[in-house]
Amino acid sequence: MAKGRDKLSAVMVRQAPAGKYGDGGGLWLCKGSKDAGSWVLRVAVHGRLRHMGLGSISDVGLKEARDAAEKWRATVRAGNDPIKVRERAKREAARNLHMLKDVADDFFEGYKARLKGDGTAGRWFSPLTLHVLPRLGKVPVANLDQVDIRDTLRPLRDTKPETMRKALNRLNLVVRHAAALGLDVDTRIIDKARALIGSGNSKAGKIPAMAWQDVPAFYASLNDGSVTHLALRLLILTGVRSAPLRFIREDQITREKIDGHEIDIWTVPAEAMKGRKGQTEAFRVPLSAEAMNVIEQAKRLARGGYLFPNVTGKGVASDMTLSMFMRRAKLEARPHGFRSSLRDWLAEATDAPHEVAETILQHVAGSKVTRAYRRTDFIEQRRALMERWADHATGNSGKIVRLVEAHG
């Protein structure tokens, strides 16, 4: 055993709480919780510190992690960058990836580190494994077309529209991964498939929404501290409808202690909850640090207890004020569409359970019987997701990586 190495044990790997634990020689165990974590190798390459992921603890055991660490340390000793060497090997292997299932598996292997518990239980990937890959898995990605996708997913349009949307979102990521691998694919194939599938039996007109990838740039443009800019920022950060947002009062913001954590909460009165027939309870909205920052700025403009007063007269800012701002900016999207932006982000960039995602948007999820027995509003899970959404909206979604690098 090399000096200062092999400090961990298999028992420690299994039982250690959240934190970072060094095994020696630059190998670190990074645990987000008692049951989930990953291996990271820190090495100096040409005078620059590099952090190399070696896999999750659910897939890679202690001995395997040590063997991999030694392999890549040898690469460094030979004067090579292990991350670049591994990427070259992946590109070589990608030349043999042709079938949709192979590309999908390769994509998920790299993507699951972004998901809670590395996407355990297969929830995030299941829309593909259950509804796409059984029929299209053996189709070469270069031969995949929008008609194939339409015929595969349109049966879900009227019976399981949310599942269909998730399947399309995840398949879009797989197609873009194939393009990144250098495979000949049409990156607009999902948009074409959506057009062929159609809108189903929905009677309501679809409100134009901004793609979640475009939200950070728009959010950054809302920077003059006016009532309109602050209201739109809080609308984006909370995912609420515009009516309760415009009528938000200072006395609706409180701090509560939940499961040992102090959480800032906006309690929306029951009468403000549109779409909840027979709504008799208020709705709690967890507020991210960025949302609280916006609220603190809005307090300086408050009048009569309302955070977003009408600047031209009595009452609060009108819905037309927010819509006209976006129209004058020559944007197709409308304020209410940010709820769709958030919902698409939850489906495409997280593994949020359906019930939690729907609760974030104040939708009723589950059967009447299920709801009768449910005694939670998922406030803790929603708080964590809304903090991540705020990180995305403010362009700081990469800060988790910097946090790993900051530990020694």
Side-chain angles (χ1 to χ4, degrees):
M1 179 178 73
K3 185 177 180 181
R5 303 268 182 92
D6 299 352
K7 298 177 181 179
L8 300 177
S9 67
V11 173
M12 291 175 62
V13 173
R14 288 195 306 271
Q15 298 184 354
K20 292 193 69 175
Y21 306 89
D23 187 55
L27 178 62
W28 288 83
L29 168 64
C30 304
K31 300 196 73 173
S33 68
K34 179 177 178 294
D35 299 318
S38 59
W39 298 104
V40 176
L41 178 64
R42 292 179 50 176
V43 291
V45 181
H46 307 310
R48 185 161 65 106
L49 190 62
R50 301 282 271 160
H51 295 77
M52 184 178 191
L54 300 181
S56 70
I57 59 175
S58 60
D59 297 325
V60 180
L62 177 58
K63 183 181 183 304
E64 187 178 354
R66 286 172 175 166
D67 291 343
E70 181 52 39
K71 168 188 171 183
W72 296 119
R73 283 192 289 257
T75 300
V76 173
R77 290 194 296 270
N80 297 312
D81 184 330
I83 295 178
K84 290 183 178 180
V85 170
R86 184 169 64 181
E87 288 303 315
R88 281 197 297 270
K90 281 187 176 181
R91 286 194 294 270
E92 289 296 322
R95 295 178 181 177
N96 298 319
L97 292 176
H98 298 295
M99 303 305 178
L100 178 62
K101 184 182 185 307
D102 294 332
V103 177
D105 288 341
D106 186 65
F107 161 75
F108 187 56
E109 184 62 31
Y111 190 81
K112 64 183 180 181
R114 306 183 191 183
L115 306 175
K116 182 179 179 182
D118 289 335
T120 53
R123 287 196 307 269
W124 193 92
F125 202 55
S126 63
L128 294 181
T129 57
L130 296 178
H131 302 287
V132 176
L133 298 181
R135 179 167 179 171
L136 301 178
K138 295 183 179 180
V139 174
V141 288
N143 295 343
L144 190 67
D145 65 30
Q146 58 268 27
V147 176
D148 294 329
I149 299 170
R150 178 201 65 184
D151 293 345
T152 299
L153 292 177
R154 189 155 64 178
L156 301 176
R157 183 185 65 185
D158 299 325
T159 58
K160 297 180 179 180
E162 179 62 20
T163 299
M164 184 194 75
R165 182 170 74 161
K166 286 184 177 181
L168 286 168
N169 286 337
R170 282 135 173 80
L171 188 55
N172 187 49
L173 291 174
V174 172
V175 169
R176 293 185 179 278
H177 180 69
L181 292 172
L183 299 176
D184 185 17
V185 293
D186 179 0
T187 56
R188 297 189 62 249
I189 193 172
I190 302 303
D191 291 334
K192 295 175 182 178
R194 286 193 179 103
L196 291 177
I197 290 171
S199 58
N201 292 330
S202 175
K203 296 180 181 179
K206 188 175 182 180
I207 296 175
M210 184 176 292
W212 62 265
Q213 295 91 337
D214 297 332
V215 168
F218 178 72
Y219 188 93
S221 73
L222 304 170
N223 56 12
D224 70 5
S226 66
V227 166
T228 300
H229 278 203
L230 292 173
L232 282 169
R233 279 194 165 192
L234 195 60
L235 188 74
I236 292 169
L237 293 169
T238 58
V240 301
R241 295 177 174 86
S242 62
L245 186 285
R246 292 183 294 106
F247 282 89
I248 186 174
R249 296 178 57 88
E250 292 183 61
D251 57 13
Q252 294 172 357
I253 310 300
T254 58
R255 173 164 285 193
E256 298 182 23
K257 192 168 187 177
I258 300 175
D259 294 335
H261 298 98
E262 296 282 347
I263 300 178
D264 293 303
I265 290 177
W266 166 27
T267 302
V268 181
E271 58 269 21
M273 294 298 295
K274 176 186 175 183
R276 292 284 190 96
K277 185 177 180 180
Q279 176 76 22
T280 59
E281 296 180 355
F283 182 77
R284 298 190 299 171
V285 178
L287 297 168
S288 63
E290 176 65 10
M292 286 302 299
N293 178 46
V294 172
I295 288 170
E296 288 303 317
Q297 294 180 60
K299 285 180 179 179
R300 297 194 291 268
L301 306 173
R303 185 174 66 231
Y306 292 106
L307 291 179
F308 302 121
N310 190 323
V311 296
T312 61
K314 295 182 180 180
V316 300
S318 70
D319 193 37
M320 185 59 67
T321 298
L322 304 183
S323 295
M324 285 302 296
F325 172 83
M326 298 187 72
R327 188 171 292 132
R328 285 194 297 270
K330 302 187 184 305
L331 294 170
E332 181 182 356
R334 293 295 174 261
H336 190 80
F338 287 116
R339 288 167 54 79
S340 294
S341 307
L342 171 57
R343 189 64 183 88
D344 286 342
W345 175 83
L346 287 165
E348 194 166 331
T350 79
D351 64 338
H354 174 75
E355 293 83 358
V356 177
E358 288 298 278
T359 302
I360 285 175
L361 297 182
Q362 305 95 57
H363 289 162
V364 175
S367 67
K368 186 175 181 180
V369 173
T370 300
R371 296 195 303 273
Y373 281 92
R374 184 183 298 148
R375 294 294 183 265
T376 178
D377 61 358
F378 307 108
I379 191 71
E380 269 287 345
Q381 297 98 315
R382 289 191 289 131
R383 179 199 62 78
L385 286 165
M386 296 311 288
E387 200 68 55
R388 287 175 59 186
W389 171 242
D391 286 342
H392 169 72
T394 56
N396 293 320
S397 56
K399 71 180 185 179
I400 294 177
V401 174
R402 293 196 294 274
L403 180 63
V404 170
E405 292 179 352
H407 287 74

Short mmCIF file of all heavy atoms in Angstrom, two decimals, residues 39-77:
data_model
loop_
_atom_site.label_atom_id
_atom_site.label_comp_id
_atom_site.label_asym_id
_atom_site.label_seq_id
_atom_site.Cartn_x
_atom_site.Cartn_y
_atom_site.Cartn_z
N TRP A 39 -17.22 9.12 -7.04
CA TRP A 39 -15.77 9.15 -6.89
C TRP A 39 -15.19 10.25 -7.77
O TRP A 39 -15.60 10.41 -8.92
CB TRP A 39 -15.16 7.80 -7.31
CG TRP A 39 -15.63 6.64 -6.49
CD1 TRP A 39 -16.55 5.70 -6.86
CD2 TRP A 39 -15.19 6.29 -5.18
NE1 TRP A 39 -16.72 4.79 -5.86
CE2 TRP A 39 -15.89 5.11 -4.80
CE3 TRP A 39 -14.28 6.84 -4.27
CZ2 TRP A 39 -15.71 4.50 -3.58
CZ3 TRP A 39 -14.10 6.23 -3.06
CH2 TRP A 39 -14.79 5.07 -2.71
N VAL A 40 -14.25 10.99 -7.21
CA VAL A 40 -13.59 12.07 -7.96
C VAL A 40 -12.08 11.94 -7.73
O VAL A 40 -11.63 11.81 -6.60
CB VAL A 40 -14.07 13.46 -7.51
CG1 VAL A 40 -13.28 14.55 -8.23
CG2 VAL A 40 -15.56 13.62 -7.79
N LEU A 41 -11.34 11.99 -8.83
CA LEU A 41 -9.88 11.96 -8.74
C LEU A 41 -9.33 13.35 -9.02
O LEU A 41 -9.64 13.95 -10.05
CB LEU A 41 -9.30 10.97 -9.77
CG LEU A 41 -7.77 10.87 -9.81
CD1 LEU A 41 -7.22 10.34 -8.49
CD2 LEU A 41 -7.32 10.01 -10.98
N ARG A 42 -8.51 13.85 -8.11
CA ARG A 42 -7.86 15.14 -8.28
C ARG A 42 -6.40 14.92 -8.66
O ARG A 42 -5.67 14.26 -7.92
CB ARG A 42 -7.94 15.99 -7.00
CG ARG A 42 -9.33 16.43 -6.64
CD ARG A 42 -9.35 17.23 -5.36
NE ARG A 42 -8.35 18.30 -5.38
CZ ARG A 42 -8.21 19.20 -4.40
NH1 ARG A 42 -9.00 19.14 -3.34
NH2 ARG A 42 -7.30 20.14 -4.49
N VAL A 43 -6.01 15.45 -9.79
CA VAL A 43 -4.63 15.30 -10.24
C VAL A 43 -4.15 16.64 -10.81
O VAL A 43 -4.94 17.46 -11.27
CB VAL A 43 -4.50 14.21 -11.33
CG1 VAL A 43 -4.73 12.83 -10.75
CG2 VAL A 43 -5.45 14.48 -12.50
N ALA A 44 -2.84 16.85 -10.75
CA ALA A 44 -2.24 18.05 -11.33
C ALA A 44 -1.68 17.69 -12.70
O ALA A 44 -0.82 16.80 -12.82
CB ALA A 44 -1.14 18.58 -10.42
N VAL A 45 -2.16 18.37 -13.72
CA VAL A 45 -1.73 18.12 -15.09
C VAL A 45 -1.12 19.40 -15.65
O VAL A 45 -1.82 20.42 -15.78
CB VAL A 45 -2.91 17.67 -15.98
CG1 VAL A 45 -2.44 17.41 -17.40
CG2 VAL A 45 -3.58 16.44 -15.40
N HIS A 46 0.17 19.34 -15.94
CA HIS A 46 0.88 20.51 -16.46
C HIS A 46 0.64 21.74 -15.58
O HIS A 46 0.39 22.84 -16.08
CB HIS A 46 0.43 20.80 -17.90
CG HIS A 46 0.54 19.62 -18.82
ND1 HIS A 46 1.69 18.85 -18.92
CD2 HIS A 46 -0.37 19.06 -19.66
CE1 HIS A 46 1.49 17.88 -19.79
NE2 HIS A 46 0.24 17.97 -20.26
N GLY A 47 0.68 21.53 -14.28
CA GLY A 47 0.55 22.62 -13.33
C GLY A 47 -0.88 23.08 -13.08
O GLY A 47 -1.10 24.03 -12.34
N ARG A 48 -1.86 22.38 -13.66
CA ARG A 48 -3.26 22.76 -13.48
C ARG A 48 -4.03 21.62 -12.81
O ARG A 48 -3.90 20.46 -13.21
CB ARG A 48 -3.89 23.06 -14.84
CG ARG A 48 -5.31 23.59 -14.76
CD ARG A 48 -5.69 24.30 -16.06
NE ARG A 48 -5.71 23.37 -17.18
CZ ARG A 48 -6.84 22.93 -17.75
NH1 ARG A 48 -8.01 23.31 -17.29
NH2 ARG A 48 -6.78 22.10 -18.79
N LEU A 49 -4.80 21.97 -11.78
CA LEU A 49 -5.55 20.97 -11.04
C LEU A 49 -6.75 20.51 -11.86
O LEU A 49 -7.53 21.33 -12.37
CB LEU A 49 -6.03 21.54 -9.70
CG LEU A 49 -6.63 20.54 -8.70
CD1 LEU A 49 -5.58 19.51 -8.30
CD2 LEU A 49 -7.15 21.27 -7.47
N ARG A 50 -6.91 19.19 -11.98
CA ARG A 50 -8.02 18.63 -12.75
C ARG A 50 -8.85 17.73 -11.84
O ARG A 50 -8.32 17.03 -10.97
CB ARG A 50 -7.49 17.81 -13.93
CG ARG A 50 -6.64 18.59 -14.90
CD ARG A 50 -7.50 19.45 -15.80
NE ARG A 50 -7.89 18.73 -17.01
CZ ARG A 50 -8.91 19.06 -17.78
NH1 ARG A 50 -9.70 20.06 -17.44
NH2 ARG A 50 -9.17 18.38 -18.88
N HIS A 51 -10.17 17.75 -12.03
CA HIS A 51 -11.08 16.91 -11.27
C HIS A 51 -11.75 15.93 -12.24
O HIS A 51 -12.43 16.35 -13.18
CB HIS A 51 -12.14 17.75 -10.56
CG HIS A 51 -11.59 18.66 -9.52
ND1 HIS A 51 -10.93 19.83 -9.82
CD2 HIS A 51 -11.59 18.55 -8.16
CE1 HIS A 51 -10.56 20.42 -8.70
NE2 HIS A 51 -10.94 19.67 -7.69
N MET A 52 -11.56 14.66 -12.00
CA MET A 52 -12.02 13.64 -12.94
C MET A 52 -13.01 12.71 -12.25
O MET A 52 -12.69 12.04 -11.27
CB MET A 52 -10.83 12.85 -13.45
CG MET A 52 -11.16 11.81 -14.50
SD MET A 52 -9.63 10.98 -15.05
CE MET A 52 -10.26 10.08 -16.47
N GLY A 53 -14.24 12.68 -12.72
CA GLY A 53 -15.24 11.79 -12.15
C GLY A 53 -14.96 10.35 -12.52
O GLY A 53 -14.65 10.05 -13.68
N LEU A 54 -15.09 9.46 -11.53
CA LEU A 54 -14.83 8.03 -11.77
C LEU A 54 -16.08 7.17 -11.62
O LEU A 54 -16.00 5.95 -11.62
CB LEU A 54 -13.74 7.53 -10.81
CG LEU A 54 -12.38 8.23 -10.90
CD1 LEU A 54 -11.41 7.62 -9.92
CD2 LEU A 54 -11.83 8.16 -12.32
N GLY A 55 -17.24 7.82 -11.49
CA GLY A 55 -18.48 7.07 -11.40
C GLY A 55 -19.13 7.15 -10.03
O GLY A 55 -18.54 7.64 -9.05
N SER A 56 -20.35 6.70 -9.96
CA SER A 56 -21.11 6.73 -8.70
C SER A 56 -20.79 5.51 -7.85
O SER A 56 -20.35 4.47 -8.36
CB SER A 56 -22.61 6.76 -8.99
OG SER A 56 -23.04 5.51 -9.51
N ILE A 57 -21.02 5.64 -6.55
CA ILE A 57 -20.74 4.52 -5.64
C ILE A 57 -21.68 3.35 -5.87
O ILE A 57 -21.39 2.23 -5.48
CB ILE A 57 -20.78 4.96 -4.16
CG1 ILE A 57 -22.17 5.53 -3.81
CG2 ILE A 57 -19.69 5.98 -3.86
CD1 ILE A 57 -22.32 5.86 -2.33
N SER A 58 -22.83 3.63 -6.51
CA SER A 58 -23.76 2.52 -6.80
C SER A 58 -23.24 1.65 -7.94
O SER A 58 -23.61 0.49 -8.07
CB SER A 58 -25.14 3.08 -7.16
OG SER A 58 -25.06 3.91 -8.30
N ASP A 59 -22.35 2.22 -8.78
CA ASP A 59 -21.82 1.49 -9.92
C ASP A 59 -20.36 1.07 -9.73
O ASP A 59 -19.92 0.07 -10.31
CB ASP A 59 -21.92 2.33 -11.19
CG ASP A 59 -23.34 2.67 -11.57
OD1 ASP A 59 -24.22 1.81 -11.35
OD2 ASP A 59 -23.58 3.77 -12.07
N VAL A 60 -19.61 1.84 -8.97
CA VAL A 60 -18.17 1.62 -8.83
C VAL A 60 -17.82 1.40 -7.36
O VAL A 60 -18.05 2.28 -6.52
CB VAL A 60 -17.37 2.83 -9.38
CG1 VAL A 60 -15.88 2.59 -9.22
CG2 VAL A 60 -17.73 3.09 -10.83
N GLY A 61 -17.30 0.23 -7.05
CA GLY A 61 -16.90 -0.09 -5.68
C GLY A 61 -15.57 0.55 -5.32
O GLY A 61 -14.87 1.12 -6.17
N LEU A 62 -15.18 0.41 -4.05
CA LEU A 62 -13.96 1.03 -3.56
C LEU A 62 -12.73 0.51 -4.31
O LEU A 62 -11.88 1.29 -4.75
CB LEU A 62 -13.83 0.77 -2.05
CG LEU A 62 -12.55 1.28 -1.39
CD1 LEU A 62 -12.39 2.78 -1.58
CD2 LEU A 62 -12.56 0.93 0.10
N LYS A 63 -12.61 -0.82 -4.45
CA LYS A 63 -11.44 -1.38 -5.13
C LYS A 63 -11.38 -0.92 -6.59
O LYS A 63 -10.31 -0.55 -7.10
CB LYS A 63 -11.48 -2.91 -5.07
CG LYS A 63 -10.23 -3.55 -5.71
CD LYS A 63 -10.29 -5.06 -5.65
CE LYS A 63 -9.01 -5.68 -6.21
NZ LYS A 63 -8.71 -5.24 -7.59
N GLU A 64 -12.54 -0.92 -7.25
CA GLU A 64 -12.58 -0.51 -8.65
C GLU A 64 -12.18 0.97 -8.78
O GLU A 64 -11.47 1.35 -9.72
CB GLU A 64 -13.98 -0.72 -9.23
CG GLU A 64 -14.07 -0.48 -10.72
CD GLU A 64 -15.47 -0.75 -11.26
OE1 GLU A 64 -16.32 -1.22 -10.49
OE2 GLU A 64 -15.69 -0.47 -12.45
N ALA A 65 -12.63 1.79 -7.83
CA ALA A 65 -12.27 3.21 -7.86
C ALA A 65 -10.77 3.39 -7.67
O ALA A 65 -10.14 4.22 -8.33
CB ALA A 65 -13.04 3.97 -6.77
N ARG A 66 -10.18 2.61 -6.75
CA ARG A 66 -8.73 2.70 -6.54
C ARG A 66 -7.96 2.25 -7.77
O ARG A 66 -6.96 2.87 -8.14
CB ARG A 66 -8.35 1.84 -5.34
CG ARG A 66 -8.75 2.45 -3.99
CD ARG A 66 -8.53 1.49 -2.85
NE ARG A 66 -8.80 2.11 -1.57
CZ ARG A 66 -8.96 1.44 -0.43
NH1 ARG A 66 -8.88 0.10 -0.44
NH2 ARG A 66 -9.21 2.08 0.69
N ASP A 67 -8.43 1.18 -8.40
CA ASP A 67 -7.75 0.69 -9.61
C ASP A 67 -7.82 1.74 -10.72
O ASP A 67 -6.83 1.99 -11.43
CB ASP A 67 -8.39 -0.61 -10.09
CG ASP A 67 -8.12 -1.78 -9.15
OD1 ASP A 67 -7.20 -1.67 -8.31
OD2 ASP A 67 -8.84 -2.80 -9.25
N ALA A 68 -9.01 2.35 -10.87
CA ALA A 68 -9.16 3.39 -11.90
C ALA A 68 -8.28 4.59 -11.58
O ALA A 68 -7.65 5.16 -12.49
CB ALA A 68 -10.63 3.81 -11.99
N ALA A 69 -8.24 4.97 -10.30
CA ALA A 69 -7.40 6.11 -9.91
C ALA A 69 -5.94 5.85 -10.24
O ALA A 69 -5.24 6.73 -10.76
CB ALA A 69 -7.58 6.40 -8.42
N GLU A 70 -5.47 4.64 -9.96
CA GLU A 70 -4.07 4.33 -10.25
C GLU A 70 -3.80 4.33 -11.75
O GLU A 70 -2.75 4.79 -12.22
CB GLU A 70 -3.71 2.97 -9.65
CG GLU A 70 -2.24 2.57 -9.88
CD GLU A 70 -1.26 3.65 -9.45
OE1 GLU A 70 -1.51 4.31 -8.40
OE2 GLU A 70 -0.25 3.86 -10.15
N LYS A 71 -4.77 3.83 -12.52
CA LYS A 71 -4.63 3.84 -13.97
C LYS A 71 -4.46 5.27 -14.49
O LYS A 71 -3.57 5.55 -15.31
CB LYS A 71 -5.86 3.20 -14.61
CG LYS A 71 -5.96 3.39 -16.11
CD LYS A 71 -7.31 2.91 -16.64
CE LYS A 71 -7.48 3.30 -18.10
NZ LYS A 71 -8.82 2.89 -18.61
N TRP A 72 -5.29 6.19 -14.00
CA TRP A 72 -5.22 7.56 -14.50
C TRP A 72 -4.04 8.33 -13.91
O TRP A 72 -3.51 9.24 -14.57
CB TRP A 72 -6.54 8.28 -14.24
CG TRP A 72 -7.69 7.66 -15.00
CD1 TRP A 72 -8.81 7.11 -14.48
CD2 TRP A 72 -7.80 7.54 -16.42
NE1 TRP A 72 -9.62 6.64 -15.48
CE2 TRP A 72 -9.02 6.89 -16.69
CE3 TRP A 72 -6.98 7.91 -17.49
CZ2 TRP A 72 -9.45 6.60 -17.98
CZ3 TRP A 72 -7.41 7.63 -18.78
CH2 TRP A 72 -8.63 6.98 -19.03
N ARG A 73 -3.61 7.96 -12.71
CA ARG A 73 -2.39 8.58 -12.18
C ARG A 73 -1.18 8.20 -13.05
O ARG A 73 -0.28 9.01 -13.29
CB ARG A 73 -2.17 8.17 -10.72
CG ARG A 73 -3.06 8.90 -9.72
CD ARG A 73 -2.62 8.68 -8.28
NE ARG A 73 -2.89 7.33 -7.83
CZ ARG A 73 -3.90 6.98 -7.03
NH1 ARG A 73 -4.75 7.92 -6.59
NH2 ARG A 73 -4.07 5.73 -6.66
N ALA A 74 -1.19 6.95 -13.53
CA ALA A 74 -0.11 6.52 -14.42
C ALA A 74 -0.14 7.31 -15.72
O ALA A 74 0.91 7.63 -16.29
CB ALA A 74 -0.24 5.02 -14.71
N THR A 75 -1.33 7.63 -16.19
CA THR A 75 -1.47 8.44 -17.39
C THR A 75 -0.85 9.82 -17.18
O THR A 75 -0.17 10.37 -18.06
CB THR A 75 -2.96 8.59 -17.77
OG1 THR A 75 -3.52 7.30 -18.01
CG2 THR A 75 -3.13 9.46 -19.00
N VAL A 76 -1.09 10.39 -15.98
CA VAL A 76 -0.51 11.69 -15.65
C VAL A 76 1.01 11.61 -15.60
O VAL A 76 1.72 12.48 -16.12
CB VAL A 76 -1.06 12.21 -14.31
CG1 VAL A 76 -0.34 13.50 -13.89
CG2 VAL A 76 -2.56 12.47 -14.42
N ARG A 77 1.50 10.52 -15.00
CA ARG A 77 2.96 10.36 -14.91
C ARG A 77 3.60 10.27 -16.29
O ARG A 77 4.76 10.63 -16.49
CB ARG A 77 3.30 9.12 -14.08
CG ARG A 77 3.00 9.27 -12.58
CD ARG A 77 3.65 8.17 -11.76
NE ARG A 77 3.14 6.84 -12.07
CZ ARG A 77 2.10 6.27 -11.47
NH1 ARG A 77 1.45 6.95 -10.50
NH2 ARG A 77 1.71 5.06 -11.79
#
